Amino acid sequence: MHFINPTKGSMSFDEMFQDILDFIAENPDSQYKLIVGSDSQSREQVCFVTAVVIHHIGKGGRYYYTRTYVRKMPSIKQRIFYEAHLSLDIASKLAARLSCTGHSDLNVEIHLDVGRNGQTRTMIKELVAQITGSGFAAKIKPDAYGAQVADKHSK
């Protein structure tokens, strides 16, 4: 799995993780949020993009993204749940790595591409329960800006 940072280009998961740690080390007394969000676009195949955002509260941040292509899915529900699965997978890897490097105080949030308007409103309760049941905070639209970062690169 490789990630892309708009400034630094392609990098492995390990390189991305080290870049996040280096970013935090620049201002270690500041507050940060680590956010994972996914979005997708369906054409001949479905393009899934998962973004990892390190948000330096009040000061901006950096982001990384990865793309995955899969065959067309029959329903939007299946696509949205797969987006959540991709986010949960990367968030779990990040959380495990954070706990091994002494950064377990940095909580990981998962931003879901669902909101109270539109087709996805019926999925909110189930998706939020899945994410919070896995130990992560869940955000939905309009607060799910991690999913909006992924949206930018899924088109």
Side-chain angles (χ1 to χ4, degrees):
M1 175 183 305
H2 81 281
F3 289 84
I4 299 167
N5 173 273
T7 305
K8 298 184 177 188
S10 184
M11 51 182 55
S12 67
F13 178 87
D14 292 338
E15 291 168 328
M16 174 194 67
F17 186 78
Q18 187 58 53
D19 197 56
I20 291 169
L21 294 182
D22 293 344
F23 183 66
I24 292 169
E26 291 173 12
N27 294 288
D29 296 328
S30 294
Q31 290 186 330
Y32 296 89
K33 278 188 185 179
L34 189 56
I35 297 152
V36 180
S38 296
D39 195 20
S40 62
Q41 292 293 319
S42 183
R43 290 188 183 84
E44 297 84 38
Q45 293 182 308
V46 183
C47 174
F48 288 94
V49 175
T50 302
V52 176
V53 179
I54 182 67
H55 181 194
H56 186 182
I57 308 292
K59 308 267 184 179
R62 288 185 185 172
Y63 74 92
Y64 315 82
Y65 67 94
T66 185
R67 280 193 187 103
T68 307
Y69 293 92
V70 300
R71 63 177 171 72
K72 203 161 184 116
M73 294 184 165
S75 72
I76 189 163
K77 185 172 183 175
Q78 189 176 9
R79 254 185 40 217
I80 297 296
F81 273 86
Y82 193 68
E83 288 175 13
H85 162 74
L86 292 171
S87 293
L88 191 55
D89 182 52
I90 291 176
S92 297
K93 290 175 182 171
L94 287 167
R97 192 70 66 88
L98 287 167
S99 67
C100 292
T101 58
H103 289 87
S104 56
D105 58 323
L106 183 61
N107 293 321
V108 181
E109 287 183 2
I110 295 180
H111 289 195
L112 299 164
D113 189 31
V114 296
R116 301 204 187 287
N117 302 319
Q119 294 177 302
T120 60
R121 69 182 173 274
T122 60
M123 297 178 244
I124 293 172
K125 194 174 194 177
E126 196 173 352
L127 284 165
V128 169
Q130 178 185 10
I131 299 304
T132 56
S134 298
F136 297 100
K139 299 285 185 183
I140 63 168
K141 292 176 183 177
D143 300 320
Y145 54 88
Q148 291 172 326
V149 172
D151 176 70
K152 177 180 176 180
H153 296 283
S154 66
K155 298 183 177 174

